[in-house]
């Protein structure tokens, strides 16, 4: 989908220290428009909400410094509504079968959204790994390469 491609490009640009080539405001606006009334996010216009976009869209907005442009509380509610409380896991949307892919990105999305209901470690939006693991792996901090004009 388009939002997943946006994330891939942004993460690469962040690692390379080239985020200055991005039209931050325009891209942030397009990403924020992915949130639907149910609180979930879609990957492009006219598509259904899907838990995996909790990662693709929210991580992109975090890289852009605009995660506050979406209703994170409503997003967390959507993610949790797709959880199978009996067998575990998270599905793409409520009522569907949970899988590892959506569980991983749903949990990462909850972490990025600041959900306090579980003991979640902070997730790095570029690497999709806990921040402490990224630091121990010596991957360096992409945040040091963020354009000066983006720092608030």
């Amino acid at each position: 989908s388009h939002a997943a491609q946006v994330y891939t490009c942004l993460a690469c640009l962040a690692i390379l220290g080239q985020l200055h080539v991005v039209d931050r405001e325009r891209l942030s606006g397009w990403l924020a428009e992915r949130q639907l009334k149910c609180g979930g996010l879609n990957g492009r216009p006219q598509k259904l909400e899907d838990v995996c976009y909790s990662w693709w869209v929210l991580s992109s907005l975090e890289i852009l410094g605009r995660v506050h442009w979406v209703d994170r509380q409503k997003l967390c509610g959507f993610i949790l509504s797709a959880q199978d409380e009996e067998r575990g896991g998270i599905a793409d949307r409520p009522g569907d079968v949970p899988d590892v892919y959506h569980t991983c990105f749903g949990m990462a999305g909850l972490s990025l959204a600041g959900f306090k209901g579980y003991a979640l470690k902070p997730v790095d939006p570029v690497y999709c790994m806990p921040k402490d693991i990224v630091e121990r792996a010596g991957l360096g901090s992409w945040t040091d390469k963020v354009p000066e004009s983006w720092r608030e």
Side-chain angles (χ1 to χ4, degrees):
S1 90
H2 297 41
Q5 292 167 343
V6 166
Y7 159 76
T8 304
C9 293
L10 276 177
C12 287
L13 289 170
I15 292 167
L16 295 171
Q18 298 297 310
L19 286 170
H20 65 276
V21 303
V22 174
D23 184 336
R24 180 186 188 204
E25 301 308 309
R26 185 173 183 189
L27 185 55
S28 297
W30 184 85
L31 288 163
E33 288 173 356
R34 305 283 51 84
Q35 189 161 39
L36 304 175
K37 290 180 182 178
C38 67
L41 300 161
N42 65 16
R44 62 182 189 260
Q46 306 303 315
K47 293 295 182 179
L48 294 174
E49 66 282 351
D50 188 315
V51 164
C52 69
Y53 296 114
S54 303
W55 168 255
W56 303 121
V57 173
L58 214 54
S59 62
S60 296
L61 286 169
E62 181 72 24
I63 292 167
L64 294 166
R66 297 287 190 250
V67 72
H68 60 281
W69 283 20
V70 296
D71 185 334
R72 289 172 284 169
Q73 184 175 359
K74 202 168 180 183
L75 176 59
C76 290
F78 171 74
I79 296 169
L80 295 172
S81 73
Q83 182 179 12
D84 185 329
E85 294 184 17
E86 292 178 22
R87 292 176 286 196
I90 299 173
D92 58 346
R93 60 188 59 87
D96 286 353
V97 177
D99 57 63
V100 173
Y101 175 84
H102 290 93
T103 300
C104 173
F105 288 140
M107 296 301 290
L110 288 170
S111 174
L112 284 175
F115 182 70
K116 302 295 184 205
Y118 303 126
L120 299 172
K121 287 187 172 188
V123 173
D124 185 283
V126 168
Y127 295 104
C128 193
M129 295 188 296
K131 287 183 177 182
D132 62 327
I133 300 294
V134 171
E135 290 172 18
R136 276 191 304 197
L139 295 174
S141 177
W142 62 270
T143 57
D144 295 338
K145 302 172 189 170
V146 170
E148 195 63 39
S149 63
W150 290 19
R151 299 177 194 271
E152 296 173 29

